[in-house]
Amino acid sequence: MGRPATQRRANAGAECRAIQRAIGISVHTGWGACVVAGGSLRKPEIFSNSVIELLDDAERFCYHRAAGMNPVLVQEWLTRIRAQALARARSELLPQMQDVRIGAIVAKDGTIPDLQAVLASHMRIHSAEGFFYRDVFREACQIPCRLVAPGSLDITAIGKAATRPWGRDQKLAALAALQVINE
């Protein structure tokens, strides 16, 4: 028999609203610009706009720091730092995730290579840090998240849609969120 028709309609409306919001996160080393957006590119609605710092300056360049550590301690230290960053991301994202069912992470696609290969190359260290924080934010969202390449977004398309901070990173995050809503 199920729920009364009025309750079904109310729940259907809530589900509709939920689908219309997405979180976009523009990832950097140790932090991310997070924007919850809805609507369309033509008429965007910004529900939240924040910068989340995951680790302090001493730890945020985690692979750079790992390169100077005793190799025996590196993996355990990176695991601990990741757990710390993940806990912070979940804590900071939780209040923003109401009615959000999909996310977009503005970052490059790829995987972190073998740890020894990463630590042997400064360029790989930078890439590994990007992938590290991208993956932390993706897991912290606890919803399906799509990767959106930064170069695929045109920040001039969004203009001024929110109050400060509203720079390049916030625009990228909002555009990515709007893109996944309207796919």
Side-chain angles (χ1 to χ4, degrees):
M1 197 158 177
R3 298 173 291 190
T6 54
Q7 187 179 6
R8 285 194 304 267
R9 280 194 299 273
N11 288 344
E15 289 170 13
C16 245
R17 282 191 308 277
I19 291 170
Q20 295 176 357
R21 289 186 185 188
I23 189 164
I25 303 172
S26 181
V27 178
H28 288 273
T29 302
W31 64 278
C34 305
V35 176
V36 175
S40 66
L41 187 56
R42 191 178 222 171
K43 191 173 179 182
E45 294 180 61
I46 307 301
F47 298 99
S48 73
N49 176 11
S50 65
V51 172
I52 296 177
E53 294 186 23
L54 299 179
L55 297 170
D56 64 29
D57 284 340
E59 295 173 327
R60 74 183 184 117
F61 295 102
C62 52
Y63 281 87
H64 281 82
R65 188 165 174 193
M69 295 175 72
N70 178 337
V72 175
L73 305 175
V74 169
Q75 190 59 58
E76 181 181 324
W77 184 78
L78 285 171
T79 300
R80 184 175 54 79
I81 290 300
R82 187 180 192 292
Q84 184 180 330
L86 183 58
R88 178 72 186 262
R90 283 184 175 154
S91 166
E92 295 289 324
L93 286 170
L94 185 62
Q96 299 179 57
M97 299 301 288
Q98 183 178 348
D99 294 332
V100 175
R101 298 291 179 262
I102 192 164
I105 309 289
V106 181
K108 294 179 181 177
D109 195 10
T111 58
I112 299 175
D114 171 73
L115 184 57
Q116 287 196 305
V118 168
L119 299 178
S121 163
H122 195 184
M123 193 165 77
R124 285 190 189 132
I125 287 173
H126 281 278
S127 295
E129 285 173 347
F131 296 148
F132 177 89
Y133 289 107
R134 175 206 62 198
D135 294 345
V136 165
F137 274 114
R138 188 186 324 197
E139 185 176 336
C141 285
Q142 300 181 42
I143 57 173
C145 288
R146 295 190 185 117
L147 288 182
V148 178
S152 71
L153 301 169
D154 176 12
I155 63 168
T156 64
I158 192 135
K160 179 91 171 130
T163 60
R164 289 182 171 215
W166 192 251
R168 181 177 192 280
D169 292 302
Q170 287 76 17
K171 291 176 183 180
L172 288 171
L175 284 167
L178 292 170
Q179 181 176 313
V180 299
I181 288 172
N182 294 297
E183 284 183 338

